[in-house]
Amino acid sequence: MESAPCKYVFVTGGVSSSLGKGIISASLAKLLQARGLRVTIQKLDPYINVDPGTLNPYEHGECYVTDDGAETDLDLGHYERFLNTPTSQANNVTTGRIYLDVIMRERQGAYLGKTVQVVPHITDEIKRRITLLGNTGNYDIVITEIGGTVGDIESLPYIEAVRQMKYELGNTNCIVIHLTLVPFLKSARELKTKPTQHSVKELLEEGVQPDILVCRTEYPLSPEVRRKVAQFCNVAPEAVIESIDADSIYNVPLLMYKENLDRIVLSRLHLETTREPDLSSWIRFVEKIHNPHYRVRIGLVGKYVELPDAYKSIRESFIHAGAANDCQVEVISIHSEHVNEANVAQQLGQLDGILVAPGFGHRGVEGKITAVRYAREYQVPFFGICLGMQCAAIEFARNVLGLAGAHSTEMNPDTPHPVIDMMEEQKKIVVKGGTMRLGAYECELRKPSKVFEAYGVERIRERHRHRYEFNNKYLSMFEQAGMIASGINPNSGLVEVMEFIHHPWFIGVQYHPELKSTVDNPHPLFIRFVAMAMAYRQTKEAEVASPASAAGIPL
Ligand code: GLN
């Protein structure tokens, strides 16, 4: 039997950026998935970079990497964390990517004799990218989030593509949810609907009538406000959805359920709504994060700490792992540039665990290395991710193996001891975009080891995004001193995990485990790290309670 054709839901944004289109899209997808539908989410980004891989985290937050090695927008992280299904290159498309494809085709002569234009060539390519997912037969519904704000010059071709798709497929196969802001004006003590009206007008000028309005607000929308929005924006009153500020993004699906967002979407798409969503495990998770029994403080040592989005996936992984341990993880941001030998004890002394973050370039590296040394010497649970693992190797080389000046050739190309170095294949690469070791790679875990204990399996697949690697010429020296390679890529022999055996929990991973942690599937290494931090805290508290019993415990 042929399955029904895929339906499309577009999510646009008006009035202001940062209203949370990604979270609304992910929440709607979660509700539809919980009703048994097969859903995926796609993000279209109107900027000209071909992908966000070349963007500084200060520009656009973290760069999220998929299994197939695409460097993508951080919203894809939310999609995976909410839906627990992997995304791919097809789930994130930028204007740069669209133009690159069209221009390459033009150079190959595909449009020979024709003038290549925004309409129809660019809009056709946008539509092709949208329906690519729908045509796989894997989904009942594709939710496409259009980045940017309606009215921006760069989002015009996308809105035009949506207009055409609505016209071609019909309003029961293709709907638009417009996310707007209903601000509260203190002086008038009133919620104001005018910005919403204006942004809908803007959409109408571009030929698109939204079907549903989701209104971000600090206060509940009264029936009167809802009626007013409905009347002036040509939508049914029940299609005006309140999206009140939530204390956690994980509450949003539950709030949207209360507001009937999924039900309205299904009715507009003429899809049956026989089965209510099964949200029981989600509700349990949300209860866990709101009522934890334990608490730990984990230091996140990085150089982009001013910007919470720069380490988005790590922060979210701690929420998932915290819930799994019935524990609230307080993540303390520590700027690696401000850590040095003189102040390290004061900066890190109160922590129950230390995570040294991924990163690029020289800035802040010495602070990270100092933080590693503290964690190693004082037996504080330690987790190093990507550059964090590399810093652990450098620290060990310098301070345990006595290799003065050991470094990564990324930071010091002339180091006498390049314990972290570039692979031969990487040395030939001169272009920057999409050329790192990217995407999922196999890794074999050593038995017994702490990393094996955490995963419980011998073969894992984790995602990578880096150019430099542990230099295997130094491996036997490291292993003899207790820093073992407990995870190895079976095909290349590259070291993927290092752990220090004379320590309660000291693990560095060359990959990015944070990219695979979801609500349904918290990452085993984060779960273990939080558990070890809890144990460390308990021991410390016991020492304070009865200092005598602690005598003899080495610090
Ligand atoms: N800069 C390091 C490398 O390229 C680490 C990258 C990272 O932490 N993602 O190898």
Side-chain angles (χ1 to χ4, degrees), residues 100-350:
L100 189 66
D101 284 359
V102 170
I103 292 170
M104 299 248 274
R105 247 178 270 145
E106 188 275 334
R107 292 288 82 186
Q108 285 157 6
Y111 309 102
L112 220 50
K114 293 258 177 355
T115 309
V116 183
Q117 292 175 300
V118 174
V119 182
H121 302 100
I122 295 297
T123 47
D124 278 354
E125 178 61 17
I126 295 173
K127 288 193 290 178
R128 190 184 73 80
R129 293 279 183 165
I130 295 167
T131 48
L132 209 60
L133 280 170
N135 292 341
T136 55
N138 296 338
Y139 307 108
D140 303 307
I141 298 178
V142 173
I143 300 175
T144 299
E145 178 193 341
I146 315 267
T149 308
V150 166
D152 294 348
I153 294 174
E154 52 265 47
S155 54
L156 275 173
Y158 293 97
I159 306 294
E160 170 58 14
V162 172
R163 185 195 69 73
Q164 291 180 18
M165 278 189 68
K166 242 172 152 4
Y167 170 74
E168 288 157 11
L169 300 179
N171 288 331
T172 59
N173 291 316
C174 205
I175 63 167
V176 173
I177 299 176
H178 188 53
L179 177 61
T180 76
L181 178 69
V182 177
F184 180 76
L185 224 61
K186 250 198 216 148
S187 54
R189 304 174 64 81
E190 247 183 343
L191 288 169
K192 290 295 185 187
T193 64
K194 197 71 94 189
T196 297
Q197 295 176 39
H198 278 297
S199 94
V200 171
K201 221 164 158 189
E202 191 96 48
L203 254 185
L204 283 169
E205 270 172 32
E206 294 173 21
V208 172
Q209 165 67 53
D211 299 272
I212 297 168
L213 295 175
V214 175
C215 305
R216 273 301 296 274
T217 175
E218 284 176 73
Y219 298 94
L221 302 182
S222 65
E224 194 193 326
V225 170
R226 287 181 197 249
R227 255 196 317 275
K228 198 165 161 191
V229 170
Q231 186 186 23
F232 287 109
C233 301
N234 295 323
V235 298
E238 70 271 17
V240 177
I241 305 289
E242 166 191 297
S243 170
I244 201 150
D245 291 356
D247 56 358
S248 153
I249 55 168
Y250 298 105
N251 268 342
V252 180
L254 305 178
L255 292 173
M256 289 301 107
Y257 176 62
K258 277 197 202 120
E259 283 283 306
N260 284 324
L261 176 63
D262 52 331
R263 201 179 280 271
I264 308 260
V265 164
L266 292 174
S267 93
R268 293 297 182 270
L269 292 174
H270 289 200
L271 288 169
E272 295 274 330
T273 58
T274 42
R275 176 175 151 189
E276 280 301 300
D278 175 6
L279 293 168
S280 46
S281 67
W282 194 272
I283 291 170
R284 267 199 307 280
F285 166 73
V286 171
E287 277 167 2
K288 276 249 161 77
I289 56 180
H290 283 122
N291 307 299
H293 283 98
Y294 306 98
R295 217 174 137 184
V296 289
R297 289 158 65 93
I298 290 184
L300 171 60
V301 185
K303 67 173 169 179
Y304 304 115
V305 286
E306 311 89 319
L307 190 84
D309 271 3
Y311 303 114
K312 192 86 201 156
S313 295
I314 291 178
R315 291 175 188 278
E316 298 303 319
S317 301
F318 276 126
I319 296 177
H320 310 153
N325 280 295
D326 207 358
C327 174
Q328 187 196 6
V329 180
E330 193 188 342
V331 177
I332 313 281
S333 298
I334 292 163
H335 203 305
S336 52
E337 271 185 304
H338 303 160
V339 178
N340 54 47
E341 289 292 346
N343 68 15
V344 63
Q346 177 212 336
Q347 293 235 28
L348 309 183
Q350 302 306 314

Side-chain angles (χ1 to χ4, degrees), residues 357-361 385-388 390 410-411 420 436 465-469 510 512:
F360 294 84
I385 297 184
C386 208
L387 181 60
Q390 298 176 355
E410 177 182 9
M411 325 301 167
I420 305 293
M436 285 187 249
R465 181 173 187 254
H466 54 101
R467 245 180 257 286
Y468 295 82
E469 309 283 351
Q510 185 57 80
H512 289 270

Side-chain angles (χ1 to χ4, degrees), residues 500-515:
F500 182 40
I501 55 172
H502 307 301
H503 188 288
W505 209 83
F506 185 104
I507 290 185
V509 292
Q510 185 57 80
Y511 50 80
H512 289 270
E514 73 276 20
L515 303 178

Side-chain angles (χ1 to χ4, degrees), residues 373-513:
R373 179 177 194 167
Y374 183 88
R376 181 178 57 76
E377 289 182 346
Y378 288 84
Q379 307 265 299
V380 187
F382 168 81
F383 195 12
I385 297 184
C386 208
L387 181 60
M389 180 201 103
Q390 298 176 355
C391 287
I394 296 165
E395 190 279 324
F396 200 78
R398 288 183 188 173
N399 302 322
V400 179
L401 305 179
L403 304 175
H407 220 319
S408 161
T409 51
E410 177 182 9
M411 325 301 167
N412 177 9
D414 304 318
T415 168
H417 300 292
V419 289
I420 305 293
D421 198 7
M422 209 184 250
M423 281 184 307
E424 279 310 311
E425 301 105 82
Q426 279 286 341
K427 289 185 183 159
K428 297 177 215 129
I429 298 172
V430 282
V431 284
K432 286 271 184 272
T435 54
M436 285 187 249
R437 177 146 84 102
L438 288 168
Y441 285 85
E442 297 247 313
C443 170
E444 222 163 64
L445 304 181
R446 182 143 145 187
K447 254 166 76 179
S449 66
K450 296 220 172 62
V451 72
F452 173 77
E453 234 169 70
Y455 281 94
V457 291
E458 281 168 58
R459 273 270 168 132
I460 55 164
R461 267 170 76 80
E462 293 281 5
R463 298 182 193 169
H464 291 247
R465 181 173 187 254
H466 54 101
R467 245 180 257 286
Y468 295 82
E469 309 283 351
F470 180 78
N471 186 344
N472 274 329
K473 284 184 203 137
Y474 291 89
L475 186 56
S476 64
M477 269 181 94
F478 273 72
E479 294 213 320
Q480 275 160 29
M483 181 73 102
I484 62 164
S486 52
I488 303 266
N489 180 317
N491 305 310
S492 59
L494 291 170
V495 172
E496 311 286 40
V497 188
M498 300 198 90
E499 60 183 73
F500 182 40
I501 55 172
H502 307 301
H503 188 288
W505 209 83
F506 185 104
I507 290 185
V509 292
Q510 185 57 80
Y511 50 80
H512 289 270

Side-chain angles (χ1 to χ4, degrees), residues 23-68:
I23 300 297
I24 292 294
S25 304
S27 300
L28 170 62
K30 182 76 225 170
L31 295 177
L32 296 172
Q33 185 193 54
R35 284 177 182 272
L37 288 156
R38 300 168 309 155
V39 194
T40 190
I41 320 178
Q42 177 185 44
K43 170 102 190 261
L44 302 182
D45 273 313
Y47 51 73
I48 299 182
N49 302 66
V50 172
D51 59 46
T54 51
L55 288 173
N56 181 323
Y58 289 120
E59 292 278 319
H60 217 70
E62 157 191 290
C63 174
Y64 190 78
V65 181
T66 57
D67 276 337
D68 65 350

